Amino acid sequence: SQTIHQWPATLVQPVGSPLSLECTVEGTSNPNLYWYRQAAGRGLQLLFYSVGIGQISSEVPQNLSASRPQDRQFILSSKKLLLSDSGFYLCAWSGGAASQYFGPGTRLLVL
Amino acid sequence: AQRVTQPEKLLSVFKGAPVELKCNYSYSGSPELFWYVQYSRQRLQLLLRHISRESIKGFTADLNKGETSFHLKKPFAQEEDSAMYYCALSGGGADGLTFGKGTHLIIQP
């Protein structure tokens, strides 16, 4: 069966520091991959999605970037974190249909 | 632009009472609609999708294109239904989901 992992689970970083969040999927090949952010009091906002290695689509302009170096690996990065980057980051995958399956999330606090 | 609206941030009902979580959407084409649920300390999980027309954990949701709604219903609430519920929309294909802000459902004993 398919599983999706995210790490770290929790991260506290100073303003201006870099960021790297990792998401991996097991048990499927060529998944569509997604990064969402949930800020306090708001719903989930789509940040990036990828339909294949090296293919990244960005939904909103921001301080973050995404990369997909391998078929089942999706990375969310920043060169310099801002306070407003704090939030709960969720990775999700789909097999081509619209239904998406979510990882456990990473809680990021920027101080 | 597509949008999903969940008008209630918090909904509290007593055990055994009927539950209805409201969801309205705005989309120019034919969307796919979903309900996701997040129980305490668990990950977000798919509850049901409109094209399946199924009942999951006693919950059902009917897509009403005239009213652009996809309300989630359960005739008799149970305490284990307490959770955050998110309505979501997809335009199809590989595009991501557009989520509502969620409704926190509390079932009182």
Side-chain angles (χ1 to χ4, degrees):
Chain A
S1 64
Q2 302 87 359
T3 55
I4 179 169
H5 305 280
Q6 285 186 246
W7 63 90
T10 305
L11 191 60
V12 181
Q13 292 284 96
V15 169
S17 63
L19 174 74
S20 181
L21 303 182
E22 189 162 344
C23 170
T24 58
V25 181
E26 295 176 358
T28 186
S29 59
N30 197 30
N32 295 328
L33 297 172
Y34 306 84
W35 279 111
Y36 292 85
R37 176 172 58 202
Q38 184 176 32
R42 302 176 66 177
L44 284 82
Q45 180 185 34
L46 177 66
L47 302 176
F48 301 96
Y49 70 92
S50 170
V51 298
I53 296 174
Q55 299 179 62
I56 308 294
S57 297
S58 175
E59 287 296 299
V60 293
Q62 59 206 305
N63 185 42
L64 302 169
S65 61
S67 62
R68 184 168 177 176
Q70 299 181 47
D71 181 45
R72 288 169 287 178
Q73 185 184 32
F74 205 22
I75 297 173
L76 185 68
S77 304
S78 173
K79 292 182 179 178
K80 288 186 177 181
L81 283 168
L82 306 172
L83 287 174
S84 57
D85 291 324
S86 293
F88 191 55
Y89 289 84
L90 285 168
C91 182
W93 74 274
S94 74
S99 298
Q100 294 182 17
Y101 303 92
F102 287 81
T106 294
R107 191 164 302 282
L108 172 66
L109 179 60
V110 183
L111 300 175
Chain B
Q2 55 199 55
R3 186 166 59 237
V4 176
T5 303
Q6 293 180 249
E8 304 136 330
K9 285 183 70 172
L10 175 66
L11 182 64
S12 180
V13 301
F14 286 101
K15 177 183 171 182
V19 173
E20 183 179 46
L21 299 167
K22 291 185 167 53
C23 172
N24 288 91
Y25 67 91
S26 173
Y27 186 71
S28 57
S30 294
E32 284 193 61
L33 274 295
F34 304 84
W35 277 99
Y36 281 82
V37 59
Q38 188 167 27
Y39 301 102
S40 179
R41 295 192 178 87
Q42 294 187 29
R43 66 179 67 185
L44 192 65
Q45 56 186 280
L46 178 65
L47 180 62
L48 53 80
R49 48 191 297 202
H50 88 269
I51 63 173
S52 300
R53 293 185 164 272
E54 56 192 345
S55 174
I56 304 293
K57 299 185 179 183
F59 285 97
T60 59
D62 291 319
L63 179 61
N64 186 322
K65 292 186 178 180
E67 296 182 0
T68 59
S69 67
F70 188 56
H71 303 326
L72 184 68
K73 300 177 183 179
K74 185 169 182 175
F76 308 103
Q78 299 171 286
E79 287 186 67
E80 54 265 34
D81 295 329
S82 295
M84 278 294 295
Y85 290 80
Y86 295 94
C87 184
L89 175 155
S90 170
D95 290 355
L97 296 171
T98 298
F99 281 87
K101 293 187 178 181
T103 297
H104 188 187
L105 176 64
I106 297 174
I107 307 300
Q108 299 190 49

